């Protein structure tokens, strides 16, 4: 290991599905510190035989190792990993929502400009019968608001109908309405 000869003193079989598979080696801490020029372990996993013994084992490890080491249960570190993952997802979601909003605004502006271009004769007739610029713009804005409201309602209905199925697809669960939560 790292240019140092070591002697194998035993082989163990962790069995299938065990975290410590046949690809792992175990060496004494003092040997690891010497071979890899370490000042102590970076991480040590301890398997406790029963959940009720976790606090006792943590107290014993704290007493043995001293204040130079942090002894934390796996549930705490897993919670931190989950929180970090949720934070990343939230950031990505916020970025996606902002991107969607900007894209939607650009598409709407383009559609309105295209509609105005296509409806030049209609605008000309409206101006000829006495409509002012404000009334022409108001009509276009009213049409845009109505279209956006209809689009919102359709999206809401589609989300209600398809949301649970899509959520279940990503979660790998049931398509029952309760999966939407």
């Amino acid at each position: 290991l790292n240019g140092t000869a070591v002697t194998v003193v035993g082989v163990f079989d962790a069995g299938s599905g065990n975290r410590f598979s046949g690809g792992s080696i175990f060496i004494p801490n003092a040997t690891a510190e010497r071979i890899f020029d370490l000042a102590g372990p970076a991480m040590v996993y301890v398997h406790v035989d029963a959940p009720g013994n976790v606090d006792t084992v943590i107290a014993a490890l704290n007493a043995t190792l001293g204040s130079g080491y942090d002894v934390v249960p796996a549930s705490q570190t897993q919670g931190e990993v989950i929180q970090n993952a949720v934070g990343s997802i939230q950031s990505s979601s916020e970025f996606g929502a902002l991107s969607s909003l900007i894209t939607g605004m650009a598409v709407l502006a383009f559609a309105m400009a295209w509609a105005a271009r296509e409806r030049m004769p209609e605008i000309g007739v409206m101006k000829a019968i006495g409509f002012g610029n404000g009334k022409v713009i108001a009509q276009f804005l009213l049409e845009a608001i109505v279209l956006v409201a209809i689009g919102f309602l359709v999206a809401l209905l589609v989300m209600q109908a398809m949301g649970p199925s899509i959520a279940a697809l990503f979660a790998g669960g049931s398509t029952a309405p309760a999966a939407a939560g």
Side-chain angles (χ1 to χ4, degrees):
L1 291 174
N2 205 25
T4 303
V6 293
T7 303
V8 175
V9 295
V11 177
F12 83 102
D13 180 16
S16 64
N18 192 309
R19 172 190 211 147
F20 300 107
S21 64
S24 300
I25 63 168
F26 294 91
I27 58 176
N29 189 44
T31 305
E33 288 178 350
R34 183 175 44 82
I35 291 174
F36 297 108
D37 194 28
L38 300 173
M43 186 176 298
V44 176
Y45 292 99
V46 177
H47 179 74
V48 179
D49 59 357
N53 295 337
V54 170
D55 292 334
T56 305
V57 170
I58 288 175
L61 285 171
N62 278 327
T64 302
L65 296 174
S67 63
Y69 296 93
D70 291 329
V71 180
V72 294
S75 60
Q76 180 179 339
T77 57
Q78 289 169 349
E80 291 171 2
V81 168
I82 290 170
Q83 286 291 23
N84 289 341
V86 168
S88 296
I89 291 169
Q90 182 179 4
S91 297
S92 297
S93 297
E94 290 170 357
F95 177 74
L98 183 60
S99 299
S100 296
L101 178 65
I102 292 170
T103 302
M105 289 170 46
V107 167
L108 185 59
F110 178 74
M112 293 307 297
W114 188 264
R117 182 175 175 267
E118 290 292 317
R119 294 171 63 185
M120 283 294 190
E122 181 183 340
I123 294 171
V125 169
M126 289 171 65
K127 297 286 274 178
I129 61 173
F131 276 55
N133 289 340
K135 281 203 166 210
V136 173
I137 291 172
Q139 180 171 340
F140 274 87
L141 287 177
L142 180 62
E143 289 175 12
I145 291 170
V146 169
L147 288 173
V148 167
I150 290 171
F152 175 76
L153 290 175
V154 168
L156 202 58
L157 291 173
V158 168
M159 183 183 67
Q160 279 297 114
M162 301 289 295
S165 299
I166 293 170
L169 177 71
F170 284 107
S174 164
T175 59

